[in-house]
Amino acid sequence: MVAGLEREEGEKIMDMKGYYKDKVCIVTGGNSGIGFALSEELLRRSATVYMAGRNPSKLAAAAEVLKDHGERVRTIVVDVTKQEEVQQAIERTAAEAGRLDMLFNNAGIGGTIQFEKATLQDWRTIIDTNTWSVIYGVYAAVPIMLRQGSGHIVNTSSIAGIVPFPMQGLYALTKFGVTGLTECLRYEYAEKGIRFSTICPSNIATPIFKKSIDGTVHDQLAIPDDAYPADRAASDVLDRMAMGDGIIIVPEQPGTDFWKGYKAGNPEMEAFLMKMAHDRRESLETRGTYF
Ligand SMILES: NC(=O)c1ccc[n+]([C@@H]2O[C@H](COP(=O)([O-])OP(=O)(O)OC[C@H]3O[C@@H](n4cnc5c(N)ncnc54)[C@H](OP(=O)(O)O)[C@@H]3O)[C@@H](O)[C@H]2O)c1
């Protein structure tokens, strides 16, 4: 356990010594959903946040919402699928701020589609956006953090990056890769002072559910009714990062039971995933959505 952090009764975690206070953080996908919520919660915990996004006007609008945090709110325009842009954004931020304490490689896209319907362009788009983006970010940040002897890199994977949900083969390929990379590096760099965490969200209430792989927004698609609020997810994640957790499933249930059941080869989980494949195919084919 990290010094200064204590689990209180009921597992409430207190950031006693301010793990985030005065930290310099970059959050990709900071203009929307989980990235915006992480940015807001980091600011509430006294960090300086460079919100990174590809669309200047969306980014400016998101930063405007957080303007009460003053100079601690910064923006960087960057397309995470472009290596040179990611490299420059991270190096310039570290040079401007004097260091880089935390990098949240969070930008990403969803993709729930029958394997036979996905085009090779869909594969390229989702791998570039969800996996290469993370490699680019880590590649740029590790040398900076090695020089500092400290840092925390947080990659957003998914519950679908630890459990193989049917109709999510494309997405799973990208997110299992992110989980594997992040977990390996967690051990590889621990003695160098660099921490790694993997965020594995289940359904969090964000616009991701309305978007297809090519970025089209489908207004007729809904966010699931039972999706967990993004602000609570962000707060849970930051608490658990500060505790030194590696894989962070948020919300903890039902994701943790799915993960344990799958790892254990639980026959009930096997039956659950088989039924999910049938139900999702039927739902995608009749209603165009999988839930
Ligand atoms: N919400 C969930 O239930 C859930 C579950 C599991 C995992 N996740 C993961 O959580 C992360 C955040 O997703 P979200 O739910 O918050 O979705 P979101 O609201 O759609 O946010 C995605 C963010 O990524 C940005 N982005 C996408 N492609 C980009 C690119 N090429 N360059 C720069 N930024 C790019 C988007 O920018 P634009 O606004 O410009 O498109 C947006 O800011 C993703 O990695 C996602 O896979 C989410």
Side-chain angles (χ1 to χ4, degrees), residues 142-168:
V142 162
I144 295 167
M145 292 179 176
L146 276 176
R147 283 197 296 275
Q148 294 173 169
S150 67
H152 198 150
I153 296 178
V154 187
N155 297 327
T156 304
S157 176
S158 171
I159 192 68
I162 48 176
V163 178
F165 294 112
M167 312 298 157
Q168 288 191 292

Side-chain angles (χ1 to χ4, degrees), residues 161-179:
I162 48 176
V163 178
F165 294 112
M167 312 298 157
Q168 288 191 292
L170 288 77
Y171 188 69
L173 178 129
T174 67
K175 295 297 190 177
F176 269 75
V178 168
T179 306

Side-chain angles (χ1 to χ4, degrees), residues 28-37 52-56 58-59 77-82 85 105-111 125 128-130 133-134 155-161 168 171 174-175 199-211 215 224 227-228 230 250 290:
T28 71
N31 63 281
S32 180
I34 296 171
F36 177 81
R54 60 180 160 181
N55 180 313
K58 282 191 195 172
L59 197 53
V77 177
V78 57
D79 179 336
V80 296
T81 65
K82 303 211 161 88
E85 288 190 23
N105 287 309
N106 166 79
I109 54 175
T125 303
D128 282 348
T129 312
N130 289 2
S133 64
V134 173
N155 297 327
T156 304
S157 176
S158 171
I159 192 68
Q168 288 191 292
Y171 188 69
T174 67
K175 295 297 190 177
I199 308 176
C200 293
S202 300
N203 287 352
I204 310 294
T206 78
I208 203 169
F209 293 97
K210 292 174 165 284
K211 300 175 187 170
Y228 195 64
V250 59
Y290 63 96

Side-chain angles (χ1 to χ4, degrees), residues 117-136:
K117 295 222 164 138
T119 65
L120 289 178
Q121 187 52 50
D122 289 334
W123 278 100
R124 290 189 187 101
T125 303
I126 200 163
I127 292 169
D128 282 348
T129 312
N130 289 2
T131 309
W132 274 110
S133 64
V134 173
I135 298 168
Y136 298 150

Side-chain angles (χ1 to χ4, degrees), residues 14 23 51 55 57 68 107 118 130 137 157 192-193 210 221 224:
M14 299 293 290
K23 294 292 178 357
M51 302 166 76
N55 180 313
S57 54
D68 286 352
N130 289 2
S157 176
K192 298 285 181 189
K210 292 174 165 284
L221 295 182

